[in-house]
Amino acid sequence: MLTLRNPQGLSYALMALLAGNVLFDVLLALADVRDLTADDVYFSDPTVLGALNLNLAYSMAFTLFAVTGVVFIVWFRRLRKNAEVWAADLQGRKPGWAVGSWFVPIANLWIPRGIAVDIWRASRWEPYAADGRGELALINGWWTCWVVSGVVNRVSAQMYKTAETFDEYTTAIHWSLGGYAVEIAAGVLAILFVRRLTSMQHAKATGIIPAAQ
């Protein structure tokens, strides 16, 4: 028998973790800005930003990102299971894909987004109604920023590896800074997405309408 699972407590932890990721992205982006505005003859010490040890910051940011990923997937699967209760026939993929789709190369660029849309439709008050104008803008904006940030970060990482001249290094920093900017946008939109979708499910489960905007 299918039962609803309350995602609210998990969503609060997830939003806090996402906010932490955004904070680290801002700090590390500031390090890039510092390097771009440094004297042309030399860059400032690349291991520190004021009193912040950048090597430690990168390590902490990676750990936080990994923990956030785990919590996000647990939250995502819980909401997918709830969607099964309300509109199983609208779900294009089995619940296991809410976890597995994130680890399938190439396909993870679009399958999780499709699952998120299916969950969204099942979670609204009228699952079978047509999508409203701009209704999926939050999902699409978050997903676009997430994918673009991943691509830009890969490009910048490769540029750093091959950079040999001042100009090449500067170009790599510009790409890195661009990656952080898009990643920050993705983080903010992810927080809004988590809040909105959790609110929709809570409102539907309790009969309290409308959900928080």
Side-chain angles (χ1 to χ4, degrees), residues 51-122:
L52 179 67
N53 183 309
L54 287 177
N55 289 329
L56 178 60
Y58 281 117
S59 178
M60 292 177 64
F62 177 79
T63 301
L64 181 62
F65 178 80
V67 171
T68 304
V70 172
V71 176
F72 185 96
I73 290 174
V74 173
W75 169 85
F76 196 60
R77 184 177 184 277
R78 182 169 298 182
L79 268 67
R80 171 60 184 82
K81 296 287 285 186
N82 287 346
E84 192 82 5
V85 176
W86 291 315
D89 56 329
L90 289 182
Q91 307 309 302
R93 298 180 186 275
K94 298 295 183 181
W97 279 98
V99 177
S101 63
W102 298 93
F103 303 98
V104 180
I106 308 301
N108 59 11
L109 296 177
W110 71 84
I111 291 180
R113 183 261 175 197
I115 295 172
V117 170
D118 290 343
I119 296 172
W120 183 281
R121 288 170 176 155

Side-chain angles (χ1 to χ4, degrees), residues 17-200:
L17 289 169
L18 287 166
N21 279 270
V22 171
L23 177 59
F24 270 111
D25 285 338
V26 170
L27 290 174
L28 297 175
L30 288 175
D32 282 346
V33 172
R34 184 273 311 274
D35 287 347
L36 287 175
T37 57
D39 191 289
D40 287 343
V41 178
Y42 62 90
F43 287 115
S44 302
D45 187 346
T47 64
V48 296
L49 178 64
L52 179 67
N53 183 309
L54 287 177
N55 289 329
L56 178 60
Y58 281 117
S59 178
M60 292 177 64
F62 177 79
T63 301
L64 181 62
F65 178 80
V67 171
T68 304
V70 172
V71 176
F72 185 96
I73 290 174
V74 173
W75 169 85
F76 196 60
R77 184 177 184 277
R78 182 169 298 182
L79 268 67
R80 171 60 184 82
K81 296 287 285 186
N82 287 346
E84 192 82 5
V85 176
W86 291 315
D89 56 329
L90 289 182
Q91 307 309 302
R93 298 180 186 275
K94 298 295 183 181
W97 279 98
V99 177
S101 63
W102 298 93
F103 303 98
V104 180
I106 308 301
N108 59 11
L109 296 177
W110 71 84
I111 291 180
R113 183 261 175 197
I115 295 172
V117 170
D118 290 343
I119 296 172
W120 183 281
R121 288 170 176 155
S123 303
R124 63 192 180 192
W125 194 241
E126 297 180 352
Y128 299 93
D131 296 337
R133 184 177 181 180
E135 180 181 349
L136 301 179
L138 180 56
I139 292 178
N140 292 333
W142 158 60
W143 192 252
T144 298
C145 288
W146 166 255
V147 172
V148 171
S149 68
V151 173
V152 174
N153 287 336
R154 284 180 179 273
V155 172
S156 67
Q158 186 59 35
M159 286 183 169
Y160 272 119
K161 289 181 181 179
T162 59
E164 296 181 351
T165 66
F166 180 88
D167 287 341
E168 289 174 342
Y169 187 66
T170 300
T171 300
I173 297 176
H174 276 108
W175 275 83
S176 176
L177 185 58
Y180 282 128
V182 182
E183 201 167 280
I184 290 168
V188 172
L189 290 173
I191 292 172
L192 296 176
F193 168 66
V194 170
R195 177 179 179 273
R196 176 60 178 159
L197 191 51
T198 301
S199 177
M200 288 170 64

